[in-house]
Amino acid sequence: MGDEIILLDFWPSMFGMRVRLALAEKGLKYEYKEEDLRNKSPLLLEMNPVHKQIPVLIHNGKPICESLIIVQYIDEVWHDKSPLLPSDPYQRAQARFWADYVDKKLYGLGRKVWSTKGEEQETAKKEFIECLKLLEGELGEKPYFGGEKIGFVDVALVTFSCWFYAYESCGNFSIEAECPKLIAWTKRCKEKESVSSSLEDPHKVHGFVMGMRKRFGIE
């Protein structure tokens, strides 16, 4: 009897895309259920009663919540193919640190870039670029954050790349001009079928963000 895997997700979510990417890296088949976040399904509320957020992975009826925890779970359960976390405890701790940094810093700053105007947006943009430059420094000369292959930090960060066009458009700046090595890394990642098939079209995400700005009365 095979595993039953269901993913509760919302298409433009960079957090949901992480899970899609991890599942693709492991070659796992799953059922995708799109959620309407303004009208959450009874299944989502039952499976994630604490945060009531996507993504939620349901593995043989049991829910796992929070994208980085889900990615680690996938890596531990299906450890025989495409390991995402290093086997060395110190390297593993470092990978978790940088993935956590992406969640704590990059997401909030990116949100401010597209959801604010004027001075607040300028400050967010400056901090957002500084954050990306720090990550670029951590990448160094390696092909991937995981070394020679895609790893945990790559999965955590690359899904933000389909939001880059929206950030640039709203903030009127170029990420490539500021962080050329990071953009080269995103292109390298997207050469992999597991990555390209898991990420949404940046123009589609841009359209979604523009709709949100309109709804929030930012335009």
Side-chain angles (χ1 to χ4, degrees), residues 1-211:
M1 201 175 125
D3 289 294
E4 184 197 40
I5 307 168
I6 299 166
L7 176 61
L8 308 184
D9 202 354
F10 178 49
W11 71 267
S13 168
M14 62 277 278
F15 303 113
M17 285 182 240
R18 287 172 172 173
V19 181
R20 286 175 245 167
L21 172 46
L23 290 165
E25 272 290 292
K26 301 286 183 180
L28 296 166
K29 296 213 172 343
Y30 63 96
E31 183 185 347
Y32 178 93
K33 286 185 188 266
E34 178 77 6
E35 284 288 333
D36 175 357
L37 298 186
R38 284 187 282 180
N39 182 24
K40 294 171 183 179
S41 73
L43 182 61
L44 175 60
L45 300 177
E46 180 197 341
M47 291 295 166
N48 190 359
V50 178
H51 295 305
K52 305 175 178 63
Q53 291 174 336
I54 57 90
V56 179
L57 187 80
I58 307 167
H59 180 210
N60 295 333
K62 293 177 182 170
I64 304 97
C65 307
E66 298 293 302
S67 65
L68 291 180
I69 293 169
I70 298 171
V71 172
Q72 289 177 74
Y73 176 84
I74 290 167
D75 200 41
E76 286 169 15
V77 173
W78 295 279
H79 55 81
D80 52 340
K81 189 188 173 194
S82 303
L84 297 170
L85 278 154
S87 54
D88 176 73
Y90 178 75
Q91 296 298 333
R92 204 157 56 235
Q94 289 301 304
R96 286 182 176 133
F97 171 86
W98 285 108
D100 184 60
Y101 176 81
V102 170
D103 273 9
K104 287 197 172 115
K105 292 287 286 182
L106 198 66
Y107 173 70
L109 290 169
R111 187 179 172 84
K112 276 187 180 169
V113 168
W114 71 257
S115 66
T116 62
K117 286 194 291 194
E119 206 175 310
E120 195 182 351
Q121 188 190 48
E122 281 304 309
T123 304
K125 188 167 80 175
K126 189 167 162 284
E127 288 179 19
F128 180 77
I129 291 164
E130 281 169 11
C131 184
L132 287 179
K133 284 187 171 172
L134 193 64
L135 286 159
E136 189 177 55
E138 173 57 21
L139 175 66
E141 300 305 318
K142 303 188 296 286
Y144 302 105
F145 285 91
E148 292 306 310
K149 324 192 277 272
I150 278 188
F152 188 59
V153 182
D154 300 282
V155 171
L157 180 58
V158 76
T159 59
F160 279 78
S161 67
C162 42
W163 282 69
F164 283 178
Y165 174 56
Y167 297 148
E168 290 173 325
S169 171
C170 296
N172 192 27
F173 68 109
S174 162
I175 293 171
E176 189 160 25
E178 299 285 351
C179 305
K181 281 186 183 172
L182 200 68
I183 295 301
W185 161 81
T186 64
K187 288 174 182 169
R188 200 175 304 123
C189 289
K190 286 175 188 171
E191 285 168 11
K192 282 183 68 79
E193 168 64 24
S194 58
V195 178
S196 60
S197 65
S198 304
L199 300 188
E200 292 292 340
D201 174 9
H203 290 273
K204 196 178 163 195
V205 171
H206 175 263
F208 167 75
V209 170
M210 289 300 125

